[in-house]
């Protein structure tokens, strides 16, 4: 049985600060919650995710769930703030009584809000949380995004094989769980592949000047620079590197934070040659993906990104689980999620026993050219 603790209720007034407008639900509707970054510096991720959810929601509600009931998403804006994400989780669980939560956007936020959902025995499904240890929070924490541990090794092996990379410099944001986790995977994989690390430089996620670290790195003459960061500092690093005269042969290799069209929008030609692994690509020649991309463009007059694609599949996975559960009951939905099998725009999907994605076969390595990602050939 679900329970609402006094500790949870104590912070509920603060939770209303992040609320956004949501279509009013009728008594017969099934309302689930979503916590995403919809304002602030990292809203590019959260808005793309919301777009993916809403596009899939339109499709789901053509038939409905649980015998034709309408599925409704109540959104809460975390603004990238861990405390706000926690308060949003408490509000959605304690007041709105949702049977399932989607999000939050960043791993930092999930490490804060995930324990709240887990304690209350409400399934919470991250669509963009790739740091190590996310699902170790507890048995009610799921994620549909491939962890960095599955994607980064593919990227580095490809870079080594194709460009003969033997020595690299490493940079990462040391004040962000996602970036630190990505760095840990980069470090372990570089060691496993026998690639020499010349230096490791750190910075903060809100930094805008990386010239000191890059000047040192340039003097060491690496074959590539490996970076774990969100897209804003990643773009700044690329712009600073090109202004410092880095040879274009020096490849920049990023983690999942680089995997956004905003990298090209912000860094422009400075991002050319940048490599990143991705579980999805807009040009993937697959009927389901082609349909998704066309529908997204028609609805939003823009191209989808990886985060929108993951959210789109996730909403379908969650809707199917609610249907198979036979009721908007958290425990039954959790059981149905664990057994989920779905083929969407990301390819075949199921959960491992530990509630991570089970199939990493669809990972592709992308290269930025002219401000756009394309498959590295």
């Amino acid at each position: 049985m679900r329970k609402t603790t006094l500790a949870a209720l104590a912070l509920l007034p603060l939770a209303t600060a992040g609320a956004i407008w949501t279509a009013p639900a009728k008594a017969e509707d099934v309302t689930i919650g979503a916590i995403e970054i919809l304002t602030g510096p990292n809203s590019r991720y959260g808005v793309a995710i919301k777009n993916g959810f809403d596009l899939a929601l339109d499709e789901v509600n053509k038939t409905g769930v649980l015998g034709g009931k309408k599925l409704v998403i109540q959104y809460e804006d975390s603004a990238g703030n861990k405390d706000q994400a926690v308060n949003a989780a408490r509000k959605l669980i304690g007041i709105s009584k949702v049977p399932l939560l989607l999000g939050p956007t960043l791993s930092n936020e999930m490490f804060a809000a995930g324990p709240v959902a887990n304690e209350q025995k409400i399934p919470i499904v991250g669509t963009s949380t790739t740091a190590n240890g996310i699902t170790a929070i507890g048995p009610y924490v799921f994620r549909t995004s491939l962890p960095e541990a599955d994607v980064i090794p593919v990227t580095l092996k490809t870079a080594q094989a194709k460009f003969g990379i033997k020595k690299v410099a490493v940079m990462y944001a040391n004040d962000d769980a996602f970036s630190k986790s990505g760095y840990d995977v980069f470090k372990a994989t570089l060691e496993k592949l026998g690639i020499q690390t010349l230096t490791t430089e750190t910075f903060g996620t809100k930094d805008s000047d990386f010239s000191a670290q890059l000047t040192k790195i340039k003097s060491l003459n690496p074959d590539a620079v490996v970076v774990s960061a969100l897209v804003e500092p990643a773009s700044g690093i690329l712009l600073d590197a090109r202004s410092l005269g880095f040879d274009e042969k020096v490849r920049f290799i990023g983690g999942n934070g680089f995997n956004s069209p905003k990298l090209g929008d912000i860094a422009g030609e400075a991002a050319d040659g940048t490599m990143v692994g991705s579980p999805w690509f807009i040009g993937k020649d697959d009927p389901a993906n082609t349909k998704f991309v066309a529908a997204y463009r028609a609805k939003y007059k823009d191209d989808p990104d990886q985060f929108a694609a993951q959210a789109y599949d996730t909403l379908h996975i969650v809707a199917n689980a609610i249907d198979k559960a036979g009721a908007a009951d958290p425990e039954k939905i959790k059981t149905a999620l664990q057994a989920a099998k779905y083929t969407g725009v990301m390819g075949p999907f199921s959960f491992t026993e530990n509630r991570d994605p089970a199939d990493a076969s669809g990972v592709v390595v992308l290269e930025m050219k002219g401000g756009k990602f394309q498959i590295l050939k």
Side-chain angles (χ1 to χ4, degrees), residues 21-23 29-34 49-65 69-75 102 292 299-300 308 311-319 322 342:
W21 182 88
T22 302
D29 294 341
V30 177
T31 300
I32 59 176
I49 291 167
K50 181 178 183 297
N51 287 349
F53 286 153
D54 289 344
L55 181 61
L57 190 67
D58 291 343
E59 297 173 1
V60 166
N61 280 335
K62 288 180 180 177
T63 54
V65 295
K69 292 183 179 179
K70 186 179 179 183
L71 187 63
V72 175
I73 302 175
Q74 181 178 338
Y75 286 100
L102 298 167
F292 160 67
K299 185 176 177 70
Y300 301 113
Y312 177 81
D313 273 2
T314 299
L315 199 281
H316 279 290
I317 291 166
V318 162
I322 292 171
Y342 180 76

Side-chain angles (χ1 to χ4, degrees), residues 335-377:
T335 300
L337 275 175
Q338 189 70 70
K341 291 187 184 300
Y342 180 76
T343 299
V345 300
M346 312 289 291
F349 184 89
S350 60
F351 287 107
T352 65
E353 184 179 349
N354 293 323
R355 305 165 308 285
D356 282 314
D359 191 339
S361 62
V363 175
V364 294
V365 179
L366 307 178
E367 176 186 33
M368 184 71 80
K369 281 188 176 180
K372 301 287 185 183
F373 279 119
Q374 51 189 271
I375 292 177
L376 178 68
K377 296 180 179 177

Side-chain angles (χ1 to χ4, degrees), residues 83-159:
D83 291 337
Q84 200 158 316
V86 168
N87 290 337
R90 287 172 173 166
K91 175 185 176 184
L92 289 164
I93 296 170
I95 293 179
S96 301
K97 308 292 184 186
V98 298
L100 177 140
L101 288 173
L102 298 167
T105 307
L106 299 180
S107 296
N108 266 351
E109 298 174 299
M110 180 61 102
F111 283 124
V116 174
N118 193 68
E119 179 188 351
Q120 298 299 318
K121 298 185 176 181
I122 299 296
I124 183 168
V125 185
T127 72
S128 56
T129 44
T130 56
N132 288 336
I134 290 292
T135 54
I137 292 171
Y140 290 82
V141 180
F142 294 74
R143 66 172 156 192
T144 54
S145 49
L146 280 172
E148 296 270 77
D150 283 341
V151 178
I152 285 174
V154 177
T155 315
L156 286 180
K157 285 178 185 176
T158 301

